[in-house]
Amino acid sequence: MFSCSAGPRAEDGDAGAVRQGLALASPRKLLPFVTLEDGRVLAAGGHDGHRTLSSCEVFEPATGRWEETGALRTRRRNHAAVRLKDGRVLVMGGSNGVAMGALSEAEVYSPAAGMWTEVARMTVARNDPAAVRLADGRVLVAGGTDVDQRPLRSAEVFDPETGTWGFVAPPGFVRGGAQTAVLLDTGKVLFVSGLQSELYDPVTGLWEKAGLAGGAAGTHRLAHSVTLLPDGRVLVVGGTTARAASTAEVYSPRTGTWTLVSAPQVPREHHATVVLPDGAVLVMGGEHYTTGALASVERFDPRTETWSSEPALEEPREKLGALALVDGAVLVMGGGNEAMGMLVEAERYVPGTCGVGPCSAPQPASAQGVAVLPVSGVVE
């Protein structure tokens, strides 16, 4: 079945998705969601609106259900997570919620065993760091804030073969923020946060500025998204300033320059992005100070550098997570809004625009509509 809402949403004028019945065991925000090698999705820790969590759960695409798995050894939120080359997941840093503080503890999840094992601590305690897996399998972590909430200008690398951390040259500017670093085709890592973007070269171990301060939009970026496009360029959308929230820009590693592209239809921050099989990017949910939490979804086409509206989410969500599933659908989870508080229900979102009114019968994968699951959450 495919269904659309009977009317448009205020913030984007498009049709809404239907609640999917994909209930998390606990509502969660302030955590990274990680796709495992077998296509399952891991949710580790986070915050349920009242406390910091150590509990973890895994989404099983075959059943459409979330299943509880081994708990973290250290409860944490605002942490970083990276899938290693061998399929395990490294989690590091964050805060345990006792005080704002910062954690140096790191641990590794084994999908086969469903258990976490402590590994060596980071050299520096980091809350909300930026992390990315390098081409050689090591993990680079940079920035974040320390136990006194001061921004950090340091970086270190985790070697999975030795299980140890080692300092690398510090960036020229403070860094931080979940998913604000991407590995480029060149092997260098682009970090986009604050006012000045930087590149880290694993071969030389050195940092260099990536374009002019402020990029093409000339603004500071925080709570934005950084997405690697299939053609090797990088799309940056939104942020906390008025200028950042209403702009998007693209970085070209080939030229080392930023280009301002057409503006999104809805200003936003704390949103999620997903790259679709056709190369387009979905920008989903988030929030804005003029409207609160958002349900709106937009599609960015890298070929034309233009935006178009997509069906809205069933619930407005800020600080959400979204990941592509192997069947072409998108799993939207976590976050919350002003009316409902923290959201325990996830949504299975099928990209495509649907006209107002009911849609009939199943359509081809490229067709327009939003898939509806039974209340049990089982995919049929």
Side-chain angles (χ1 to χ4, degrees), residues 20-23 39-40 58-67 325 327 331 348 373-380:
Q20 303 303 311
L22 309 176
R40 295 181 298 160
V58 172
F59 177 73
E60 302 275 358
T63 64
R65 296 182 183 275
W66 289 91
E67 304 289 346
L325 300 176
D327 64 358
L331 182 65
R348 185 176 180 276
L373 296 185
V375 173
S376 65
V378 179
V379 180
E380 298 180 334

Side-chain angles (χ1 to χ4, degrees), residues 121-146:
R121 294 186 176 196
M122 290 186 293
T123 310
V124 174
R126 303 174 187 274
N127 182 44
D128 199 26
V132 67
R133 191 182 80 191
L134 302 175
D136 61 9
R138 295 178 300 156
V139 177
L140 173 66
V141 182
T145 56
D146 66 11

Side-chain angles (χ1 to χ4, degrees), residues 270-297:
H270 291 128
H271 51 278
T273 64
V274 173
V275 179
L276 301 177
D278 64 1
V281 178
L282 284 186
V283 177
M284 318 179 76
E287 62 181 321
H288 190 252
Y289 71 93
T290 62
T291 55
L294 300 168
S296 67
V297 180

Side-chain angles (χ1 to χ4, degrees), residues 3-372:
S3 176
C4 301
S5 68
R9 288 197 178 271
E11 75 264 15
D12 69 351
D14 217 329
V18 173
R19 182 182 298 278
Q20 303 303 311
L22 309 176
L24 288 154
S26 175
R28 299 174 190 268
K29 66 178 179 179
L30 305 178
L31 75 156
F33 293 89
V34 181
T35 302
L36 303 177
E37 278 190 327
D38 59 10
R40 295 181 298 160
V41 175
L42 172 67
H47 196 269
D48 68 359
H50 302 284
R51 57 181 179 155
T52 301
L53 303 171
S54 62
S55 65
C56 303
E57 45 193 311
V58 172
F59 177 73
E60 302 275 358
T63 64
R65 296 182 183 275
W66 289 91
E67 304 289 346
E68 292 191 37
T69 188
L72 289 162
R73 307 297 292 272
T74 300
R75 61 190 181 119
R76 63 184 82 215
R77 66 179 190 236
N78 286 323
H79 48 292
V82 174
R83 194 179 79 196
L84 303 175
K85 276 192 170 182
D86 62 9
R88 296 179 300 157
V89 177
L90 173 69
V91 161
M92 69 226 86
S95 170
N96 61 14
V98 175
M100 286 303 294
L103 297 169
S104 61
E105 288 87 347
E107 48 193 304
V108 169
Y109 177 75
S110 168
M115 300 294 292
W116 294 87
T117 303
E118 291 179 345
V119 295
R121 294 186 176 196
M122 290 186 293
T123 310
V124 174
R126 303 174 187 274
N127 182 44
D128 199 26
V132 67
R133 191 182 80 191
L134 302 175
D136 61 9
R138 295 178 300 156
V139 177
L140 173 66
V141 182
T145 56
D146 66 11
V147 294
D148 296 316
Q149 302 182 52
R150 295 174 301 192
L152 293 165
R153 193 176 69 84
S154 65
E156 52 191 303
V157 169
F158 177 77
D159 187 337
E161 293 188 2
T162 63
T164 59
W165 294 89
F167 273 124
V168 296
F173 303 85
V174 294
R175 294 279 152 232
Q179 301 175 346
T180 57
V182 292
L183 178 66
L184 304 176
D185 294 341
T186 61
K188 295 181 179 181
V189 181
L190 175 68
F191 286 79
V192 185
S193 57
L195 192 62
Q196 177 65 66
S197 299
E198 290 185 270
L199 291 166
Y200 175 77
D201 188 340
V203 176
T204 64
L206 300 177
W207 296 78
E208 61 183 284
K209 293 180 181 179
L212 299 174
T219 187
H220 179 281
R221 298 233 183 229
L222 176 69
H224 55 296
S225 61
V226 182
T227 307
L228 182 65
L229 301 175
D231 62 11
R233 296 180 300 157
V234 179
L235 172 69
V236 176
V237 179
T240 54
T241 70
R243 174 69 172 164
S246 60
T247 57
E249 53 192 310
V250 169
Y251 177 77
S252 170
R254 183 177 60 83
T255 63
T257 58
W258 291 93
T259 303
L260 201 63
V261 295
S262 59
Q265 298 172 4
V266 178
R268 68 185 81 216
E269 61 184 275
H270 291 128
H271 51 278
T273 64
V274 173
V275 179
L276 301 177
D278 64 1
V281 178
L282 284 186
V283 177
M284 318 179 76
E287 62 181 321
H288 190 252
Y289 71 93
T290 62
T291 55
L294 300 168
S296 67
V297 180
E298 296 183 63
R299 174 193 290 254
F300 177 77
D301 186 338
R303 294 167 299 181
T304 61
E305 298 184 349
T306 57
W307 297 87
S308 58
S309 294
E310 284 281 317
L313 300 173
E314 168 65 13
E315 294 289 348
R317 294 176 186 261
E318 51 86 21
K319 298 178 182 176
L320 71 162
L323 292 171
L325 300 176
V326 293
D327 64 358
V330 175
L331 182 65
V332 181
M333 59 230 140
N337 60 50
E338 301 85 353
M340 302 291 292
M342 295 289 295
L343 296 170
V344 70
E345 292 288 346
E347 298 180 43
R348 185 176 180 276
Y349 184 95
V350 177
T353 302
C354 184
V356 176
C359 298
S360 60
Q363 305 169 35
S366 61
Q368 304 168 348
V370 179
V372 178

